[in-house]
Amino acid sequence: MLTERIDFQGPHGKLSAKLDAPDGTPRAYGVFAHCFTCSKDVLAATRVSQGLAELGVAMLRFDFAGLGNSAGDFADTNFSSNVDDLVAAADFLRERFKAPALLVGHSMGGTAVLAASHRIPESKAVVTIAAPSDPQYVVTKLFAEHLDTIAKLGEARVRLAGRNFNIRQHFVDDAIQHGLHDRIATLGRALLVMHAPQDDTVDKSNASRIFELARHPKSYVSLDGMDHLLTGREDAAYVAGLISAWSARYIARDIN
């Protein structure tokens, strides 16, 4: 397995990425979208992507604008810009290697792949890991106590995962205006929903909602005993193995 550092142009500047690829010819390419306020180097993104690469699927994991090593100010971003970044990552793969057949998203990244899939026509299989069923969930779950301040001042300093971020009104407005129910119901791709029943960051009811809305072919895997960030090394390997086995039916002939 080889990891290549890559920069490519996003809608709002340079996006930093890593391509995890098998030693031989990949059987398919995919994109991994990381969790909210995380980066491409968070354990889940790294371990799942590298696990898939070892099983033959080349995975591009990248930093959303304003995070990690990508250009931009996080305060200027929102859910819509994340979706645009994801589409730009797919465009890069299409131009440089091959368009992604597999889209994998963790937490808010999972919500983003649901929203972006229709803009990536070559995608055949979509996987969500611990994903909210709607971006508005992040606002109501994480920002509830700050919404009055944001409304009055236009922004608030919010502490997330041990770091402080400026959250502006446009982020709240953008998240609220995205209704993904119709998008999920008309996904048009095979869907794998993965969620831990013990997840205390994104309630498992979100996974149930995604699964209920989606049409077949769809599958649900309970990640029993895992935490939201998949911090256990064996957990990420298990998730990668499941994704590889499940997606093989849909992407096995992608390179031919």
Side-chain angles (χ1 to χ4, degrees):
M1 194 275 297
L2 303 173
T3 298
E4 178 184 0
R5 295 178 181 271
I6 292 172
D7 290 336
F8 62 92
Q9 186 64 34
H12 310 290
K14 181 205 74 172
L15 295 178
S16 177
K18 290 181 179 178
L19 180 68
D20 299 307
D23 293 330
T25 301
R27 58 186 174 93
Y29 284 84
V31 174
F32 190 104
H34 64 69
C35 53
F36 186 56
T37 71
C38 298
S39 77
K40 67 181 181 302
D41 296 313
V42 70
L43 288 178
T46 300
R47 292 173 176 173
V48 172
S49 294
Q50 291 183 349
L52 282 165
E54 290 172 351
L55 294 169
V57 181
M59 295 296 296
L60 181 73
R61 48 188 165 101
F62 68 97
D63 295 325
F64 285 114
L67 292 169
N69 295 315
S70 288
D73 184 344
F74 178 82
D76 294 330
T77 68
N78 52 33
F79 183 72
S80 291
S81 70
N82 287 348
V83 173
D84 290 341
D85 288 348
L86 182 54
V87 173
D91 290 343
F92 169 77
L93 276 181
R94 184 184 300 109
E95 295 168 4
R96 176 83 176 270
F97 300 98
K98 188 174 180 66
L102 176 65
L103 305 178
V104 182
H106 178 212
S107 193
M108 192 71 152
T111 316
V113 300
L114 291 171
S117 61
H118 73 288
R119 296 172 59 186
I120 306 170
E122 301 90 345
S123 62
K124 299 176 181 178
V126 174
V127 180
T128 65
I129 306 169
S133 60
D134 192 285
Q136 186 174 349
Y137 182 86
V138 173
V139 172
T140 57
K141 173 76 173 179
L142 300 181
F143 306 152
E145 64 183 277
H146 303 281
L147 291 179
D148 287 344
T149 301
I150 294 173
K152 291 177 182 178
L153 303 180
E155 68 177 16
R157 193 76 166 162
V158 179
R159 191 162 184 81
L160 300 169
R163 294 183 295 161
N164 293 319
F165 294 90
N166 287 332
I167 303 297
R168 295 178 177 163
Q169 186 63 47
H170 74 87
F171 183 99
V172 175
D173 294 340
D174 180 78
I176 291 173
Q177 65 92 22
H178 276 279
L180 289 189
H181 291 182
D182 289 343
R183 183 66 62 201
I184 296 169
T186 58
L187 192 66
R189 281 110 176 120
L191 174 66
L192 173 60
V193 180
M194 311 181 84
H195 211 107
Q198 300 89 354
D199 193 326
D200 59 3
T201 300
V202 177
D203 189 82
K204 65 180 182 299
S205 61
N206 286 269
S208 299
R209 183 61 173 156
I210 294 170
F211 189 77
E212 289 168 359
L213 287 167
R215 299 174 182 174
H216 288 287
K218 60 181 179 179
S219 302
Y220 186 106
V221 172
S222 177
L223 301 178
D224 189 36
M226 301 186 192
D227 59 29
H228 180 71
L229 293 177
L230 304 181
T231 53
R233 182 175 294 275
E234 293 182 358
D235 293 344
Y238 174 75
V239 168
L242 285 174
I243 294 172
S244 176
W246 170 84
S247 64
R249 177 179 295 273
Y250 307 105
I251 65 176
R253 298 181 178 86
D254 186 57
I255 298 298
N256 296 338

